[in-house]
Amino acid sequence: MTTPGGPPTVMHRPRTVGEAVGALTAEAGAGRRVWLLAGGTDLVPALRAGSREPAVIVALRRVLELRARGAGADTLTVGAGVTYAELAGWSLAPGLAATSRVVGSVQIRNCATVGGALGSANPRGDLLTFLTAAEAEILLASARGPRATGIAALLRDGLEPGELVTAVRIARPSGPQTYLKIGGRQAAFPALVSCAFLVDRVRQRVCCAVSGVAAGPWRVTEAERLAGEEVDWSTGTASPAVARRFGELAAEVLRAAPPLPEDPRHPADYRAHAGGVLAARAFARCLGPARHEEAA
């Protein structure tokens, strides 16, 4: 394989996780830069545009272990090679499915993978927002053996040299979930602001993450505490006033978070306000009285 303006690129095509880790380890040991190729929605355009230099590529599409998903008694596991299109209709994970359905175009959803989203670590990434709210556990493999880390730690610290994301593990849903976003045309632009909202009826709590305001997906913990105290957990509902207060608290939390670079068209205060509006809407959608009336 060759890339515009650069020398031939070395291409590894492993068939197992072990072979992939072996290639990553060998190349890292030789001091060579390695790009991982799964769906190619990030890497291929970057190489064509010259924004990434030619380097060693490890292509992962033949690694079938990475393309599995499954359900346990308490958890759902999604391989790093699973595409958004494969998740979009997964009834066991309604929030994950809803998030996957609003990513890019049909063509992108058919190619883009869970591992690619984690690798690119876009601070406004739809999947990263949902996984942050879901308190996802990231499963990794390297020559040192397997390990697991939380989504927040992975986004903060990144991968260790020679390490490969193999899967994501989340809790099985125990309540309503939703994902909302605002921005330009869905297929052409990333979300301006987005919000993932999950209800945990077993632990009597909500988890909410907002992207597009802070330097990465941001949990609105003070608002979450309010919900834990004000929701009627016997019915799984709360009043419209609680939903409004939840959104107001969420906006306050977001204004205090480390901000993204300033955008003259969408000032930080506007984006924090928009995040609060989305949080209030998500709260009402999952916990509003109308939901209880529909269930009855």
Side-chain angles (χ1 to χ4, degrees), residues 155-246:
L155 294 179
R156 181 185 66 242
D157 302 330
L159 296 172
E160 296 178 2
E163 202 164 42
L164 175 70
V165 175
T166 59
V168 170
R169 183 179 293 150
I170 59 175
R172 291 191 71 148
S174 60
Q177 302 179 350
T178 193
Y179 184 77
L180 305 175
K181 62 191 286 188
I182 59 174
R185 288 184 295 125
Q186 177 177 304
F189 302 100
L192 175 62
V193 180
S194 62
C195 173
F197 189 93
L198 293 76
V199 178
D200 185 339
R201 293 287 297 272
V202 174
R203 298 182 184 179
Q204 298 188 349
R205 65 173 189 154
V206 305
C207 298
C208 179
V210 176
S211 286
V213 182
W218 202 259
R219 289 283 293 275
V220 290
T221 51
E222 287 84 350
E224 292 175 355
R225 282 195 288 269
L226 169 79
E229 297 167 356
E230 297 295 332
V231 170
D232 179 353
W233 291 107
S234 65
T235 61
T237 61
S239 70
V242 175
R244 287 194 297 272
R245 182 57 181 150
F246 183 88

Side-chain angles (χ1 to χ4, degrees), residues 36 118-119 138 140 147 149 154 157-165:
L36 294 173
L118 290 165
I138 313 302
L140 306 143
R147 76 177 180 100
T149 188
L154 181 72
D157 302 330
L159 296 172
E160 296 178 2
E163 202 164 42
L164 175 70
V165 175

Side-chain angles (χ1 to χ4, degrees), residues 39-42 45 83-88 97-113 126 181 184-191:
T41 54
D42 255 355
T83 67
Y84 288 104
E86 291 168 331
L87 293 175
T99 304
S100 300
R101 286 194 293 269
V102 299
V103 174
S105 64
V106 172
Q107 293 87 345
I108 288 174
R109 293 194 291 274
N110 283 337
C111 296
T113 64
D126 296 295
K181 62 191 286 188
R185 288 184 295 125
Q186 177 177 304
F189 302 100

Side-chain angles (χ1 to χ4, degrees), residues 2 8 10-11 14 19 44 77 83 88 107 109 115 120 124 129 137 212 231 236 245 258 260 282 288 296:
T2 60
V10 176
M11 175 78 79
E19 290 179 4
V44 172
T77 303
T83 67
Q107 293 87 345
R109 293 194 291 274
S120 62
R124 294 180 177 176
T129 308
E137 183 180 36
V231 170
R245 182 57 181 150
L260 283 169

Side-chain angles (χ1 to χ4, degrees), residues 2-48:
T2 60
T3 54
T9 300
V10 176
M11 175 78 79
H12 294 275
R13 298 182 183 274
R15 292 183 177 275
T16 67
V17 168
E19 290 179 4
V21 167
L24 288 172
T25 302
E27 297 295 351
R32 289 188 285 266
R33 181 66 183 267
V34 179
W35 299 115
L36 294 173
L37 175 64
T41 54
D42 255 355
L43 180 60
V44 172
L47 289 173
R48 286 175 176 168

